[in-house]
Amino acid sequence: MTTKEKQFSLGSWLTVGHPSIAEVMCDAGFDWLCIDMEHSQIDINNLLNLIIAIQGRKMKAYVRVGSNDSSIIKKVLDSGADGIIIPQINTLDEAKRAINNVRYSPIGARGLGLARAQGYGFGLENYLKGKARNIELIVQIEHYKGIKNLHKILSLDGLDGSFLGPYDLSASIDVPGQFDSKKFKDLVIEYNQITSKFSKKKGFHVVSKNIDDVILKKSEGYDFLAFNFDVFFMGLSIRQFLKNI
């Protein structure tokens, strides 16, 4: 997700709200990092420090918010996030609301503040002409209803792409975590077929110990992949070291 253009990139998830973890992940060599505010204890105060740490390493900082809530989204964007992922977008109206929350007028109705993103009031004009126009808005598709409405959702202007959430998608059809289920595989196929008709980017979260799973998803045409997350990497490393000992 390093640019709005479709160019493959590999990133990962941050769930620990400490800048040191963010810097370690940045230095590992990912193309981007996404701060997860949905399934972690990271709050808006932790978020600002994480964004500063990531961007200080000359890397794009993305944020997944907990919901399609304008009061949270405006704070995330005013903190200077380069892109935002909004979860559980299942309908056309929800996608329109996401655009409304992220884009300034005349495309949307985002509130205009003077915070870090706008140079605390001294860089507003440059922000409006530059970064604000280039914020990536990614909708997360993680329910069978979202896939059924995906063609309409992706037809909207103001969206840069979609991101498939496999765990919640499997749960929405009553097979949580069962990625070998035919029902789940059929939905992923449907997602791929629909997204192939649009120029918008598509992504997938690969949580796996196997590098081949990343290679497979890239071969399936995904433009960006999130690979694992901070504490998962830590757990894998600790277990491997102990096993070797």
Side-chain angles (χ1 to χ4, degrees):
M1 289 195 296
T2 51
T3 64
K4 284 202 169 200
E5 291 75 32
K6 291 182 73 170
Q7 180 179 355
F8 179 78
S9 64
L10 181 67
S12 191
W13 234 235
L14 276 176
T15 64
V16 177
H18 197 287
S20 295
I21 301 297
E23 290 180 329
V24 169
M25 294 284 281
C26 286
D27 293 346
F30 289 108
D31 296 313
W32 51 269
L33 290 178
C34 183
I35 303 161
D36 184 16
M37 296 184 72
E38 183 183 19
H39 292 293
S40 77
Q41 301 305 309
I42 295 173
D43 60 21
I44 200 68
N45 295 313
N46 299 134
L47 178 76
L48 181 60
N49 291 329
L50 293 173
I51 290 175
I52 291 172
I54 293 168
Q55 293 174 342
R57 287 296 204 268
K58 309 300 182 185
M59 186 179 289
K60 297 285 187 180
Y62 296 85
V63 179
R64 178 171 70 175
V65 292
S67 64
N68 195 3
D69 183 335
S70 63
S71 64
I72 297 298
I73 290 171
K74 71 176 68 174
K75 290 180 181 179
V76 168
L77 296 179
D78 286 347
S79 295
D82 297 290
I84 193 162
I85 298 176
I86 301 181
Q88 290 290 350
I89 299 300
N90 299 323
T91 69
L92 182 63
D93 285 344
E94 289 171 354
K96 287 180 178 178
R97 187 161 69 250
I99 294 170
N100 211 45
N101 290 337
V102 171
R103 305 298 183 197
Y104 285 128
S105 176
I107 300 173
R110 174 186 167 190
L112 188 58
L114 300 176
R116 177 176 180 267
Q118 302 85 9
Y120 304 102
F122 298 96
L124 176 60
E125 185 176 353
N126 288 336
Y127 181 73
L128 292 176
K129 291 179 179 179
K131 186 170 181 176
R133 297 180 179 181
N134 293 312
I135 288 170
E136 282 196 72
L137 170 53
I138 306 294
V139 293
Q140 189 157 349
I141 305 299
E142 47 188 341
H143 196 283
Y144 72 87
K145 292 179 181 178
I147 291 180
K148 298 307 176 186
N149 292 313
L150 188 57
H151 195 283
K152 293 179 181 179
I153 291 170
L154 293 181
S155 296
L156 293 172
D157 292 331
L159 295 181
D160 295 297
S162 61
F163 182 74
L164 190 67
Y167 283 94
D168 279 344
L169 180 61
S170 65
S172 77
I173 53 172
D174 301 325
V175 290
Q178 297 178 35
F179 302 145
D180 290 330
S181 162
K182 185 179 185 303
K183 289 172 64 178
F184 175 80
K185 288 182 176 180
D186 286 345
L187 281 177
V188 174
I189 291 172
E190 186 175 357
Y191 172 83
N192 289 335
Q193 289 174 339
I194 295 171
T195 53
S196 68
K197 298 175 183 177
F198 294 86
S199 60
K200 294 178 171 67
K201 296 191 291 188
K202 65 174 182 177
F204 193 96
H205 192 184
V206 179
V207 180
S208 172
K209 302 175 184 178
N210 193 344
I211 297 297
D212 290 340
D213 291 333
V214 175
I215 296 170
L216 174 63
K217 286 301 172 188
K218 182 181 179 182
S219 71
E220 292 176 358
Y222 288 90
D223 304 294
F224 64 98
L225 295 174
F227 183 44
N228 293 335
F229 53 100
D230 45 14
V231 292
F232 191 81
F233 280 120
M234 183 172 67
L236 287 175
S237 178
I238 291 169
R239 284 163 173 77
Q240 188 60 52
F241 275 117
L242 291 178
K243 181 180 178 181
N244 291 344
I245 291 172

